[in-house]
Amino acid sequence: MHILITGGAGFIGSHVVRHFLTRYPSYTITNLDSLTYAGNLANLRDVEGMTNYHFVKGDITDADFLMSLFHEHRFDGVIHLAAESHVDRSIASPTAFVVTNVLGTVNLLNAAKTCWQSNVEGKRFYHISTDEVYGSLGNKGMFTEETPYDPHSPYSASKASSDHFVRSWHDTFGLPVVISNCSNNYGSFQFPEKLIPLFINNIIHNKPLPVYGKGENIRDWLWVVDHAEAIDVIYHKGKTGDTYNIGGHNEWSNIALIRLLCRIMDTKLGRAAGESEKLITYVTDRAGHDLRYAIDSSKLQRELGWVPSITFEKGLELTVEWYLSHGEWLSNVTSGNYQHYYEEMYAGR
Ligand code: NAD
Ligand code: DAU
């Protein structure tokens, strides 16, 4: 079994690569990543020496390169995570999201279709997507696999578009695809532009915690290790052509989550209770900010037997401990270009 994992140097991708390498030593795993600001080979230091692991630096927007990679390696499966993934960046510079998330996905679909056309038996193209394609919920209800698509940000619109292309390659060309749509992930190796690692880093450095709007938006948080486990189950047992929602049944308003994070940080840093909360600063809301996400993952639980393994309180504590014990990783990824991004993104908010 030779699986191509795209975006394997990113946050979720690195957990998926590690999971497959260690759980399935007989598989060969090729990690294809162009190493954007979010891609970091340091995320895979512990597994990079494994003989069944290969890294290829390459861009999914390069169709010719992808075609020759597929012809050279004749992959049995693809797990596609490579993407531009940050909503705020998609508001600042939408085009990159169309190019990578839409065109890059179409290039991959084409390469798989061309390479597998003579025999799709045993092949699988697994596209990793997001709950944001479903839009925003009010106070009640959850996203199911039947919820109509209603994306609002350029990021979610690009992911919705890529999902449609994946389904169309199944319906039109018979490509054996499967899709999952997951809620907000948290855990180790997440780039500190996303809420939890950004706020951990800011608390460490006593910097303001920029809460968008009133902090009332709600997200459904899932430990990234549980997402990797769900991806394993869906890759091996998911029904071809189907979609599976993945979520933690774990809704938190941003402000409640931030207060919990502040309490954990005070304890771990030996600071007085309430010290980190003083850093909370309400700033201008994100444009088009979705109010609430909540995933109904009962199909995945019922049909494939997956359940999350850890409570949010425990997972968040482990996550804080990881960032506090990986100061070098944090300072490496927050230097250089990222400093520039941070100043631009939060100036005038
Ligand atoms: P990330 O930004 O941490 O990682 C993305 C990776 O893709 C990086 O390693 C980057 O270098 C690589 N990449 C970007 N453009 C590329 C290109 N043109 N060619 C090759 N590689 C390229 O993202 P993440 O948070 O790990 O998300 C991974 C996937 O999971 C994305 O598809 C995202 O939409 C989806 N997802 C993320 C979450 C979440 O909470 N983070 C939730 C649900 C779904
Ligand atoms: O739901 C899945 C999605 O979750 C993934 O598809 C995306 O790739 C991932 O980035 C994430 O999107 P969000 O926009 O929900 O995550 P983010 O961490 O950017 O923000 C979480 C919430 O916190 C959101 O309501 C905005 C808010 N926020 C975020 C930042 C960065 C703030 O209040 N302040 C901030 O500085």
Side-chain angles (χ1 to χ4, degrees):
M1 176 76 82
H2 189 172
I3 302 177
L4 174 70
I5 298 182
T6 72
F11 164 48
I12 301 171
S14 61
H15 284 274
V16 175
V17 167
R18 179 176 299 98
H19 177 98
F20 274 76
L21 281 172
T22 49
R23 175 79 58 90
Y24 303 105
S26 65
Y27 290 10
T28 300
I29 302 295
T30 292
N31 170 15
L32 168 66
D33 200 297
S34 64
L35 300 181
T36 66
Y37 77 93
N40 184 354
L41 289 179
N43 298 357
L44 290 163
R45 277 284 126 78
D46 54 328
V47 291
E48 67 187 3
M50 291 178 74
T51 49
N52 57 337
Y53 172 67
H54 305 282
F55 173 70
V56 176
K57 185 171 186 303
D59 197 320
I60 58 167
T61 65
D62 183 342
D64 294 340
F65 156 74
L66 279 184
M67 207 61 90
S68 53
L69 188 75
F70 269 76
H71 276 116
E72 187 186 342
H73 294 288
R74 323 291 315 178
F75 302 111
D76 300 297
V78 176
I79 304 179
H80 174 38
L81 297 108
E84 289 292 340
S85 68
H86 190 37
V87 173
D88 291 325
R89 285 183 193 259
S90 83
I91 296 167
S93 322
T95 310
F97 286 70
V98 181
V99 174
T100 293
N101 299 358
V102 184
L103 206 58
T105 301
V106 169
N107 288 340
L108 264 179
L109 289 164
N110 261 335
K113 168 180 168 275
T114 307
C115 188
W116 296 343
Q117 62 191 351
S118 54
N119 184 11
V120 293
E121 193 58 40
K123 305 287 193 292
R124 170 138 284 192
F125 188 105
Y126 183 179
H127 177 61
I128 306 297
S129 192
T130 170
D131 60 359
E132 300 202 10
V133 298
Y134 298 123
S136 184
L137 292 163
N139 294 331
K140 286 196 200 132
M142 296 179 122
F143 298 133
T144 72
E145 287 81 1
E146 278 73 48
T147 302
Y149 276 28
D150 183 23
H152 297 127
S153 72
Y155 164 69
S156 53
S158 70
K159 291 296 290 187
S161 171
S162 66
D163 292 7
H164 291 317
F165 276 108
V166 172
R167 286 193 186 97
S168 78
W169 253 248
H170 172 262
D171 296 350
T172 309
F173 305 114
L175 197 74
V177 310
V178 67
I179 298 178
S180 59
N181 296 80
C182 188
S183 62
N184 287 61
N185 284 216
Y186 70 96
S188 53
F189 299 112
Q190 187 170 31
F191 193 82
E193 61 185 353
K194 310 280 167 61
L195 180 74
I196 290 177
L198 176 73
F199 279 32
I200 291 174
N201 192 43
N202 283 12
I203 292 171
I204 293 170
H205 295 101
N206 271 308
K207 284 172 68 177
L209 305 177
V211 180
Y212 296 166
K214 294 180 181 161
E216 288 168 349
N217 304 68
I218 292 171
R219 297 291 181 267
D220 175 355
W221 293 91
L222 180 70
W223 197 35
V224 63
V225 173
D226 284 334
H227 190 187
E229 180 70 39
I231 289 171
D232 175 351
V233 171
I234 293 167
Y235 182 83
H236 289 101
K237 297 196 215 149
K239 199 167 143 228
T240 297
D242 261 24
T243 295
Y244 296 88
N245 279 354
I246 312 173
H249 275 285
N250 178 43
E251 292 181 51
W252 287 77
S253 72
N254 290 340
I255 194 64
L257 184 162
I258 291 159
R259 292 209 169 102
L260 172 63
L261 181 64
C262 286
R263 285 197 295 278
I264 297 174
M265 290 295 289
D266 283 341
T267 309
K268 299 286 173 195
L269 292 169
R271 292 183 184 167
E275 203 56 31
S276 298
E277 276 199 30
K278 289 185 195 153
L279 298 169
I280 290 175
T281 310
Y282 292 91
V283 301
T284 313
D285 207 353
R286 174 185 277 175
H289 198 173
D290 288 333
L291 177 66
R292 176 172 164 253
Y293 304 146
I295 277 276
D296 177 349
S297 60
S298 55
K299 175 180 176 185
L300 177 60
Q301 305 200 7
R302 191 178 58 250
E303 293 185 9
L304 305 185
W306 171 90
V307 279
S309 72
I310 194 167
T311 64
F312 186 57
E313 286 79 357
K314 185 67 199 161
L316 194 59
E317 194 184 339
L318 288 176
T319 302
V320 166
E321 283 169 3
W322 187 87
Y323 283 96
L324 291 178
S325 62
H326 288 76
E328 198 183 349
W329 182 93
L330 246 188
S331 61
N332 282 343
V333 298
T334 50
S335 58
N337 280 342
Y338 176 71
Q339 289 294 355
H340 184 58
Y341 158 83
Y342 191 82
E343 281 152 22
E344 275 188 2
M345 191 58 77
Y346 290 90
R349 267 197 189 262

